[in-house]
Amino acid sequence: MLGNEALARGLLAGGCDSLYAYPGTPSSEILPSFLSQGENLGLSVYGHWSVNEKIALESAFTAAISGLYSAVAMKQVGLNVAADAFLSSAYLGVTGAMVVISADDPGPNSSQTEQDSRMFAMLAKVPVFDPATPQEAELFAGRALELSAELGLPVLLRPTATLCHARQNITLRKIPDTKSRPPQFNRQPERWAATPKHRLRLHQELNQKLLTLAEDIRFNFTAAPGGGAAGSWAPYGIVASGCAWALIADLLEELPESFSRQFTLYKVDLPYPLSRLAGKTLLERHERLLVIEESMPVIEFQLGHRERISGRLNGLIADAGALTPELVRTALHRFCGRPKNAEGKTELAEVAPGKRPSLCPGCPHRSSFYALKKALPQGIYAGDIGCYTLGINLKALDTCLCMGASISQAGAFFRNFARHQQETPPITAIIGDSTFFHSGIPALVNARWEDNRFVLLLLDNSTTAMTGNQPTPAAGLRADGSRGPALPLESLLTGCGLTHISVVDPYDRETMIAELKRAEQYTRSPEGGIAAVIARRGCLMIKDERRRLPGLKVIIDDRLCNGCGYCINAFECPALVRNEQDLEKRVTIDQVICVGCGQCLSVCPQEAIKTAAS
């Protein structure tokens, strides 16, 4: 099973009957797998792609205070969005069970921050499990539900990208033969609608639960086989959790026994809350401790006695970036004060440079960006989170803060320029359809209320493309494939007070350029305001959209191409490739990946890009 599939199976085996989520790599496969496995097992389960993570957590929490076993899944930056509900839910607690799955992205590989959800668990005072393998993911999902029900608290389950996308043969637990629980909500306004006075008491109760949990022997450190009995411990102890533990466990098996036997490896399943006696006990056994964890020093913070503990806090392990075998091997040798090999070298191996990501061949966003640059060349382009963040490669994106910020920033750009000078530059907020549903709507309401003026370029590719083509509310499809009411973007824009709304196919470039210019003119007119241009064409990852392509055979006329590279720099389609063997570095078409959309035909200043028929 994929790690995310194992998480879904573990939830089902633990009795979870409802899962809410917002798609985000590396967590996106959990909900579809939960629904498909539930259906195959004949279970009556419910799953929903919520509009954002805050709403997903609020929904799962409501199920859990109705006596049900629920879960919510998101990536680590999604927990930021859900923070308000998450912190409050710890005080209020649950009557059923609730597991919050927050999938971290050390590196980061596909996120705007490299953060550690275990640290968020400490802030919220919520217990957190840290599975090391897909098999443990399946087991810990069930354990998290059990602990949540036992304590009456939400429990965080924190896989990382490595675990989510790893595969392992799984020994499956039996699905309990129990009927689904009927919801039962017991009215307790002093708890479920607690005022600040009651919150103080709830906080004190929460603290007591955590103290009790920290002394629970079920969650003590476990030493790896061969660690030795009391009185015969190795000189050094290594403390690790999650995928960091799996990495160091494999590494110790590979290293020479004369070196690896200096260490006793300890595994931490529940990094928070950590036993207050843990550091004292381990330091009685070992001269020094090395803590290996991703990405923040959560265990290290709790252990104390820092003069004898090494890790991220004393700089032995870098304070950013994903752990690699080479990095950990180097840390082990430095920890012992010995050279890494016979030559005494401790340098990390050089990593080959990667190729920067780019929009797919035929992506409608590329055409939208190209038209935007042509229409408003001196503008400010406020960007957002999604595939279209790659507009930065096309020099058509100037900012990218977080989901929904494009609209807030565009409004603030206008307001500040308008306050200090008469003429403002053209300002465009660029946001995708899914991101608009997620957090763009409140930002647009605020911008309209503030009477800001800018062009809103809404890139509507009819899906949540970056995370695996999950449906948006505009599609009228639910997570299980059933039909629901569609919510047209035009209606939402109208409801936010916009009157200038146009819909354009970005493949129709001349019309797209004209509509963007017209929209910008409207923002400057006396009766104007925010002007929306919806660039609507489906993502080519959707099968039906590929059938709409014209299927052109595009070629380069070598007689006209002078190797200027304008097509690559300004349009950046992966199918446009510079021929490095050619003396003039002329461009060729990679026919293997070219989709025949024809959008590059008008790009070349020499008119060297043609169809085979011409």
Side-chain angles (χ1 to χ4, degrees):
M1 277 187 164
L2 198 69
N4 281 339
E5 294 171 334
L7 286 165
R9 174 70 185 211
L11 292 175
L12 293 168
C16 177
D17 67 356
S18 59
L19 173 62
Y20 299 84
Y22 182 80
T25 304
S27 71
S28 300
E29 297 86 358
I30 300 173
L31 175 58
S33 182
F34 177 83
L35 290 172
S36 61
Q37 291 189 62
E39 182 181 5
N40 293 339
L41 292 165
L43 301 175
S44 177
V45 296
Y46 178 77
H48 179 63
W49 286 123
S50 300
V51 170
N52 65 33
E53 295 87 354
K54 179 177 182 288
I55 293 169
L57 197 147
E58 290 163 348
S59 302
F61 175 73
T62 302
I65 68 172
S66 302
L68 304 179
Y69 280 28
S70 67
V72 57
M74 62 196 72
K75 67 184 296 181
Q76 89 283 7
V77 287
L79 195 55
N80 302 339
V81 179
D84 203 4
F86 182 52
L87 271 71
S88 188
S89 70
Y91 279 36
L92 302 178
V94 298
T95 57
M98 181 176 79
V99 172
V100 180
I101 300 176
S102 180
D104 283 0
D105 184 19
N109 298 297
S110 60
S111 308
Q112 62 266 41
T113 60
E114 180 187 28
Q115 63 195 64
D116 191 329
S117 294
R118 299 174 308 153
M119 190 68 76
F120 221 130
M122 290 180 66
L123 171 66
K125 296 190 172 180
V126 168
V128 54
F129 281 102
D130 198 7
T133 63
Q135 179 71 74
E136 278 196 354
E138 194 273 346
L139 175 64
F140 284 12
R143 290 177 72 186
L145 284 165
E146 291 172 8
L147 186 61
S148 176
E150 178 185 328
L151 296 177
L153 291 177
V155 173
L156 187 71
L157 183 60
R158 179 257 192 173
T160 62
T162 300
L163 183 147
C164 290
H165 296 150
R167 288 191 178 274
Q168 182 183 18
N169 291 335
I170 302 294
T171 301
L172 297 176
R173 289 178 296 145
K174 184 179 179 181
I175 301 294
D177 185 18
T178 56
K179 295 181 179 179
S180 61
R181 304 171 185 83
Q184 182 177 357
F185 179 65
N186 297 319
R187 300 185 67 219
Q188 296 176 267
E190 70 282 359
R191 179 180 182 183
W192 307 129
T195 59
K197 180 181 179 180
H198 291 292
R199 295 274 173 158
L200 175 60
R201 172 182 54 80
L202 292 172
H203 189 190
Q204 292 167 338
E205 292 175 3
L206 172 60
N207 289 340
Q208 188 56 51
K209 288 180 180 180
L210 293 175
L211 287 174
T212 303
L213 180 60
E215 306 306 324
D216 194 323
I217 61 171
R218 292 175 296 172
F219 305 111
N220 282 356
F221 291 107
T222 54
S232 61
W233 301 101
Y236 307 120
I238 299 176
V239 182
S241 73
C243 288
W245 176 87
L247 192 160
I248 189 66
D250 287 345
L251 190 60
L252 288 176
E253 288 186 3
E254 297 171 4
L255 291 170
E257 185 182 351
S258 58
F259 182 46
S260 63
R261 69 187 179 192
Q262 298 180 79
F263 304 99
T264 298
L265 176 60
Y266 294 90
K267 186 173 184 296
V268 181
D269 294 342
L270 195 78
Y272 177 81
L274 204 63
S275 169
R276 290 179 297 175
L277 298 176
K280 182 177 182 297
T281 302
L282 295 183
L283 286 167
E284 287 174 353
R285 296 176 181 175
H286 306 284
E287 298 172 18
R288 287 189 294 139
L289 296 176
L290 173 61
V291 182
I292 300 176
E293 51 188 331
E294 284 185 326
S295 302
M296 295 287 290
V298 172
I299 297 172
E300 218 175 328
F301 272 135
Q302 296 176 83
L303 283 174
H305 306 280
R306 291 178 188 164
E307 66 280 357
R308 292 173 59 192
I309 296 177
S310 293
R312 292 189 186 267
L313 288 175
N314 70 350
L316 185 71
I317 298 175
D319 59 2
L323 293 176
T324 64
E326 187 66 23
L327 189 153
V328 174
R329 185 183 293 110
T330 300
L332 280 176
H333 285 267
R334 288 174 178 166
F335 176 72
C336 295
R338 56 179 286 172
K340 192 179 78 169
N341 51 36
E343 291 78 30
K345 295 181 180 179
T346 58
E347 297 84 6
L348 297 178
E350 290 188 9
V351 178
K355 183 180 179 181
R356 75 178 184 183
S358 62
L359 295 168
C360 301
C363 177
H365 296 340
R366 179 179 290 105
S367 297
S368 296
F369 282 126
Y370 190 76
L372 177 63
K373 290 190 298 179
K374 290 291 184 181
L376 308 174
Q378 303 303 317
I380 296 175
Y381 310 130
D384 225 299
I385 303 294
C387 296
Y388 51 91
T389 307
L390 294 171
I392 192 170
N393 297 349
L394 296 158
K395 297 181 175 59
L397 190 142
D398 296 313
T399 68
C400 182
L401 178 63
C402 62
M403 292 187 77
S406 60
I407 297 175
S408 304
Q409 290 189 290
F413 274 129
F414 168 80
R415 183 56 46 195
N416 285 290
F417 273 100
R419 286 176 53 234
H420 293 284
Q421 62 186 63
Q422 283 188 322
E423 189 69 21
T424 61
I427 298 169
T428 305
I430 306 159
I431 190 168
D433 49 343
S434 179
T435 306
F436 180 71
F437 282 112
H438 178 281
S439 48
I441 297 171
L444 184 58
V445 170
N446 185 76
R448 184 69 188 90
W449 185 28
E450 201 175 4
D451 196 23
N452 293 324
R453 294 173 176 236
F454 55 85
V455 176
L456 173 62
L457 178 54
L458 215 170
L459 304 176
D460 180 9
N461 63 359
S462 304
T463 188
T464 314
M466 189 179 187
T467 55
N469 292 100
Q470 294 82 12
T472 71
L477 284 175
R478 299 194 180 98
D480 60 0
S482 63
R483 301 296 306 188
L487 303 174
L489 291 169
E490 294 93 321
S491 299
L492 292 168
L493 293 172
T494 301
C496 291
L498 272 62
T499 57
H500 189 289
I501 303 168
S502 59
V503 181
V504 190
D505 181 348
Y507 273 22
D508 184 356
R509 187 167 300 145
E510 294 305 315
T511 301
M512 181 87 181
I513 293 172
E515 284 299 324
L516 286 166
K517 288 181 176 179
R518 191 168 73 89
E520 209 276 329
Q521 289 169 2
Y522 172 79
T523 67
R524 298 182 184 277
S525 65
E527 71 282 359
I530 300 170
V533 177
I534 302 175
R536 179 167 290 156
R537 192 176 185 92
C539 173
L540 293 184
M541 293 295 104
I542 302 171
K543 187 182 299 183
D544 290 342
E545 291 297 332
R546 292 199 294 274
R547 297 193 184 103
R548 292 179 61 199
L549 290 168
L552 302 172
K553 176 68 180 293
V554 181
I555 61 171
I556 303 289
D557 189 335
D558 286 344
R559 297 167 299 176
L560 298 176
C561 179
N562 62 5
C564 71
Y566 175 82
C567 60
I568 292 176
N569 297 326
F571 201 63
E572 208 217 21
C573 177
L576 294 166
V577 183
R578 191 183 290 277
N579 185 357
E580 298 296 338
Q581 307 303 318
D582 184 77
L583 292 176
E584 296 185 30
K585 306 296 185 194
R586 287 174 288 200
V587 175
T588 62
I589 303 290
D590 185 342
Q591 299 295 344
V592 174
I593 63 174
C594 178
V595 297
C597 68
Q599 287 298 292
C600 61
L601 290 172
S602 61
V603 170
C604 177
Q606 309 301 321
E607 299 183 351
I609 306 177
K610 302 181 176 183
T611 60
S614 63

